[in-house]
Amino acid sequence: MNKPKQLILPSSLSKDKFIKMFGGIFEHSEWIAEQTWEKGLNFNHDKASGLHSLMVSIFRKANEVSKIEVLKSHPDLAGRLMVNKGLTKESTKEQASAGLDSLNELEQTFFKSLNKSYKQKHQFPFIIAAKGLSSDLILEAFRNRVNNSTDSEFVEACVQVEKIAYLRLIDILK
């Protein structure tokens, strides 16, 4: 028999426990969790939607340099880190859910080429909330977005980062 999952109440956590639990919501950007906790949490932040709203407000108020650093902290899709098992556990799970861990050699080469082209043009990696998408849908989005302007891709990448954060919060607080 499965043990019931313990209810997590973010508003009741110490700063250290909060950062440990939510520091990876925005990839390698613990500063967002730290500033979220410092803003003050209440019962509204004990659900994914409420906590997401507060965390996103911190991200959106950050300067462009900080936002770009958050974007750059995301791994390439189906890239070297995935092959070498160097992704965060969250990214590993998300990419695997989209089948990016089981691409054939030709598909891996295609992703590698798109990753390189995208990063050369935009100076940050292609970001998409992969959870629930197929590798074909991701590849289609990749092909459609690679030639967009950097300004529009910056906006879209930020939207995708926020979506990833929400999906990660749902996983923790379900």
Side-chain angles (χ1 to χ4, degrees):
M1 184 150 89
N2 288 341
K3 184 179 172 186
K5 192 171 178 179
Q6 187 175 353
L7 181 64
I8 298 167
L9 299 174
S11 65
S12 69
L13 298 175
S14 69
K15 183 177 183 178
D16 288 342
K17 285 183 181 177
F18 183 85
I19 292 170
K20 183 176 179 164
M21 186 167 284
F22 299 103
I25 296 299
F26 285 79
E27 192 88 5
H28 297 292
S29 301
E30 285 187 353
W31 62 269
I32 295 174
E34 185 174 343
Q35 288 184 27
T36 299
W37 190 89
E38 289 170 355
K39 280 272 189 197
L41 301 170
N42 61 48
F43 69 92
N44 292 315
H45 305 114
D46 289 336
K47 293 195 184 312
S49 58
L51 187 54
H52 182 257
S53 180
L54 185 55
M55 293 184 94
V56 163
S57 74
I58 303 290
F59 175 66
R60 288 180 181 172
K61 288 176 186 170
N63 62 40
E64 189 171 319
V65 172
S66 295
K67 288 179 186 173
I68 288 173
E69 287 305 312
V70 171
L71 300 183
K72 286 181 176 181
S73 70
H74 281 261
D76 290 348
L77 291 177
R80 177 182 50 79
L81 286 176
M82 189 175 83
V83 172
N84 296 332
K85 309 228 182 288
L87 297 177
T88 63
K89 72 177 185 180
E90 295 90 356
S91 287
T92 299
K93 196 166 133 185
E94 291 155 3
Q95 290 199 30
S97 77
L100 298 181
D101 61 339
S102 57
L103 298 175
N104 65 40
E105 196 172 319
L106 182 62
E107 292 167 324
Q108 286 177 358
T109 301
F110 200 53
F111 266 95
K112 185 177 180 179
S113 174
L114 281 170
N115 280 319
K116 183 177 180 183
S117 296
Y118 188 95
K119 280 172 102 170
Q120 283 177 339
K121 180 172 183 181
H122 302 297
Q123 304 302 305
F124 51 84
F126 176 78
I127 300 170
I128 191 166
K131 186 174 182 178
L133 299 179
S134 68
S135 59
D136 290 339
L137 284 174
I138 292 169
L139 199 51
E140 181 182 338
F142 215 150
R143 282 192 200 118
N144 290 336
R145 289 176 46 196
V146 72
N147 292 315
N148 288 345
S149 72
T150 298
D151 287 343
S152 67
E153 276 307 297
F154 174 78
V155 170
E156 182 60 27
C158 288
V159 166
Q160 293 297 318
V161 162
E162 292 177 12
K163 190 183 233 183
I164 292 165
Y166 186 65
L167 293 170
R168 288 177 177 182
L169 284 168
I170 288 172
D171 278 349
I172 293 170
L173 297 174
K174 57 183 165 186

